[in-house]
Amino acid sequence: YPGGGLGGGRKLSVKRATTKNYARESQPRKLFLRHLPLSVTDAEVLQFVGHGAEKPVIRIRAKGGAPGPDGERPFVGCAVVVLPTGDAAVRALAALRAGPGVLVAASGERSHVEAEVSSRRVWEGVSGGDGGSWAAGRQGRSDFKGGGDKNPAHGGGEARPEGCLTVWVGGLPKDTDEGRARAVMAVCGPLASFRLIRDPYEGDCKGFAFAEFQAGEGAEAAVERLNGAARLGTKLKVRYATDKPRANHK
C-alpha cells in the first residue's frame, strides 16, 4: 500500500493471493483398497488381491490419535498394494470387481472391500502472486526454507545457528532407501535421530529428510561436505534446519 497507513501509524502490506497447484498422477502398478477389516493382516490382504501382489502392504494410518504398542497410529482400513506389472494390476482389479469383494479376516471380522487404481498428488507450482505462475518441476517438492546461504553450489560460509543440531536434506529421489540415507549422514558424525519424510498414502520419499546430530560439529560437517555433493543418485542440498523434526526416530 504505497505511502499509506491507518490510524495509529501502522502500515499496510498488500500482496496478491497465491494458489498451490497439484495434479493427480495415476500409479498403474498400485491398487488402493478401502473398507478393509481393521484386524486384517498383510498376508490376508496379499492373498485377497492375488495376481502376484508384493510386500509391503502400505497401510494408511490416522493422522491423529495416540500410537499403539507398535509405535504406529491407528489403521483406518485403507491400504495400497503393489503388483508386479500394470497388466497384473488391471487383472487383479477386474477380478476384485467381478467377485463378491468380501474379505474375511482370521479374527472373523468381514468387510466389503472397494478397489481402484492408486494415484498420487503431484506438485505443479504456484499461481497468482505476481499474476503469473511457476512450476516446481519436481515431484515431492519441499517448501521447507533452510537458513543461511542460498547458494546450492556450496555449503561454506554458512554459520550454524546457535543451538542448531539438525540439518534439512533435500533433492532426494522418491525411491530413497532410509538406511542408506542415514548412513550417508552418519559419516559426518553420530546421529541423534534421522527422519525420511514419506508420502503418507504411497510410502514414497517426498524428496527430503531431517538429520539431527548429537553435536554441532556433525551438523557443520554435513553442510560443509554434503551440500552439493553427489550421493544417493542425486545432488544433495543440505541446510541448517530452523525448525526441529516433528518426531524423533532413533
Side-chain angles (χ1 to χ4, degrees):
Y1 185 75
L6 295 176
R10 291 186 294 178
K11 294 183 178 180
L12 293 178
S13 177
V14 180
K15 298 180 180 180
R16 294 179 184 270
T18 59
T19 301
K20 295 182 178 180
N21 300 315
Y22 296 89
R24 301 300 303 185
E25 178 183 75
S26 176
Q27 296 187 300
R29 289 182 53 216
K30 297 181 179 181
L31 296 183
F32 179 76
L33 309 177
R34 58 169 59 89
H35 306 313
L36 290 165
L38 298 183
S39 60
V40 71
T41 66
D42 286 6
E44 289 170 338
V45 173
L46 295 175
Q47 183 179 8
F48 177 71
V49 174
H51 295 81
E54 305 170 345
K55 292 183 180 181
V57 173
I58 304 169
R59 292 173 176 256
I60 311 304
R61 304 280 178 176
K63 292 185 177 180
D70 59 354
E72 298 282 0
R73 294 192 183 278
F75 175 51
V76 299
C78 299
V80 175
V81 177
V82 182
L83 281 296
T85 65
D87 288 341
V90 170
R91 292 194 298 270
L93 181 60
L96 290 173
R97 289 178 172 175
V102 177
L103 196 165
V104 182
S107 64
E109 184 182 4
R110 58 190 293 131
S111 181
H112 187 277
V113 179
E114 297 179 3
E116 62 185 64
V117 175
S118 180
S119 63
R120 63 178 291 161
R121 193 172 71 161
V122 179
W123 169 267
E124 289 194 323
V126 173
S127 61
D130 58 359
S133 65
W134 57 273
R138 178 167 61 85
Q139 294 180 10
R141 179 184 181 276
S142 164
D143 288 329
F144 176 84
K145 300 296 189 300
D149 189 3
K150 298 287 195 283
N151 185 356
H154 61 87
E158 180 180 354
R160 179 171 63 90
E162 183 178 358
C164 179
L165 301 177
T166 303
V167 298
W168 171 86
V169 186
L172 299 175
K174 66 180 182 180
D175 60 351
T176 296
D177 178 78
E178 184 166 353
R180 289 184 59 204
R182 178 193 292 266
V184 167
M185 302 309 299
V187 170
C188 297
L191 291 172
S193 67
F194 181 84
R195 187 180 185 209
L196 186 73
I197 309 302
R198 298 183 181 276
D199 185 304
Y201 296 99
E202 304 301 337
D204 296 331
C205 173
K206 294 184 71 174
F208 61 103
F210 291 97
E212 181 182 8
F213 290 87
Q214 295 181 15
E217 291 79 7
E220 291 173 1
V223 173
E224 290 287 341
R225 294 164 54 184
L226 296 179
N227 185 40
R231 300 286 191 279
L232 303 169
T234 187
K235 187 175 182 179
L236 297 181
K237 298 178 181 179
V238 183
R239 300 284 187 273
Y240 293 118
T242 54
D243 295 307
K244 294 182 178 179
R246 284 177 290 181
N248 286 334
H249 293 258
K250 303 275 177 130

